[in-house]
């Protein structure tokens, strides 16, 4: 296949996965984000890269957001929300984070392929992205020409950007108001 054919196929896959996400679950996720005192973001591997971008955008909005595992991340408590990106929902370190958050009364939101995973059972909101992954026992309904969990990882990144746009609308913000919090020591 040529570049244009690959690009077209990837775009079609992304359209299918993004449009398969539950509107009701997304609304509940946005409500959790708006109601949280602090938002803690966790993921491993490529999902970890995606969730860091989400934490950054939350910070640009003026929300108290942190990346779990960073040295300046405070403790989570009852007013906190833990957002986890995990295709399998079974990554041991992320399961541990979810269990800790639950034990202190924090809320949990999970973005995953498997809505029946260990973390999903602990979560207050589960966002299912139907995509294939070699690490998930739950095979998504949408198949991909891309390797490994690429479709899930791409979709979760774009999904979180859409959630940011929904938050912006709810908070009456635009890109200009957010840019005022952009890093200036680069």
């Amino acid at each position: 296949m040529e570049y244009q054919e690959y690009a077209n196929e990837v775009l079609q896959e992304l359209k299918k996965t993004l449009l398969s996400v539950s509107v009701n679950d997304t609304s509940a996720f946005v409500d959790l984000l708006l109601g949280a005192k602090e938002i803690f973001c966790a993921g491993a591997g490529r999902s970890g890269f995606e969730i860091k971008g989400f934490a950054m955008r939350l910070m640009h909005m003026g929300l108290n957001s942190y990346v779990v595992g960073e040295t300046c991340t405070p403790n989570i408590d009852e007013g906190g929300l833990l957002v986890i990106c995990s295709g399998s929902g079974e990554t041991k370190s992320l399961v541990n984070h979810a269990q800790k958050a639950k034990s202190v009364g924090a809320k949990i939101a999970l973005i995953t392929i498997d809505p029946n995973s260990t973390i999903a059972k602990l979560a207050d909101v589960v966002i299912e992205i139907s995509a294939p992954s070699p690490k998930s026992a739950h095979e998504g309904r949408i198949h991909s020409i891309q390797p490994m969990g690429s479709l899930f990882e791409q979709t979760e990144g774009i999904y979180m950007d859409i959630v940011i746009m929904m938050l912006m609308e709810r908070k009456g913000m635009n890109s200009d108001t957010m840019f005022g919090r952009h890093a200036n020591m680069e």
Side-chain angles (χ1 to χ4, degrees):
M1 285 187 356
E2 297 294 324
Y3 169 78
Q4 294 289 335
E5 293 170 300
Y6 279 119
N8 189 49
E9 183 63 31
V10 168
L11 289 171
Q12 292 306 310
E13 289 177 2
L14 286 166
K15 183 176 181 178
K16 287 177 189 172
T17 54
L18 286 166
L19 294 177
S20 73
V21 174
S22 165
V23 172
N24 291 336
D25 292 340
T26 298
S27 180
F29 181 38
V30 169
D31 289 342
L32 276 181
L33 289 162
L34 289 171
K37 178 181 78 172
E38 296 175 311
I39 303 162
F40 298 81
C41 299
R46 286 172 49 124
S47 289
F49 294 136
E50 297 291 353
I51 196 80
K52 285 181 179 183
F54 185 59
M56 178 190 293
R57 286 292 184 249
L58 293 170
M59 177 274 298
H60 288 152
M61 297 184 78
L63 299 174
N64 295 321
S65 63
Y66 307 97
V67 175
V68 175
E70 297 293 325
T71 55
C72 58
T73 300
N75 62 329
I76 192 169
D77 62 25
E78 191 175 337
L81 169 64
L82 174 61
V83 180
I84 298 175
C85 286
S86 174
S88 69
E90 299 292 343
T91 305
K92 293 297 179 205
S93 61
L94 300 175
V95 170
N96 290 338
H97 296 330
Q99 290 169 335
K100 180 61 179 182
K102 198 54 128 180
S103 76
V104 299
K107 301 281 187 198
I108 301 168
L110 173 66
I111 300 172
T112 188
I113 295 168
D114 190 348
N116 300 307
S117 65
T118 299
I119 299 172
K121 291 174 184 164
L122 296 168
D124 297 277
V125 172
V126 177
I127 304 299
E128 180 184 358
I129 294 176
S130 183
S133 172
K135 291 175 115 180
S136 176
H138 178 80
E139 183 69 21
R141 294 180 306 275
I142 298 166
H143 298 280
S144 177
I145 65 165
Q146 300 180 68
M148 301 168 60
S150 291
L151 180 58
F152 171 72
E153 296 143 3
Q154 294 159 358
T155 304
E156 71 185 338
I158 296 169
Y159 172 78
M160 288 183 286
D161 280 345
I162 293 168
V163 167
I164 291 294
M165 290 185 287
M166 294 173 73
L167 289 168
M168 289 170 64
E169 182 179 1
R170 293 266 300 266
K171 292 178 71 62
M173 300 181 86
N174 60 38
S175 186
D176 292 336
T177 58
M178 290 172 60
F179 191 73
R181 294 185 55 81
H182 190 278
N184 62 3
M185 293 191 294
E186 296 179 300

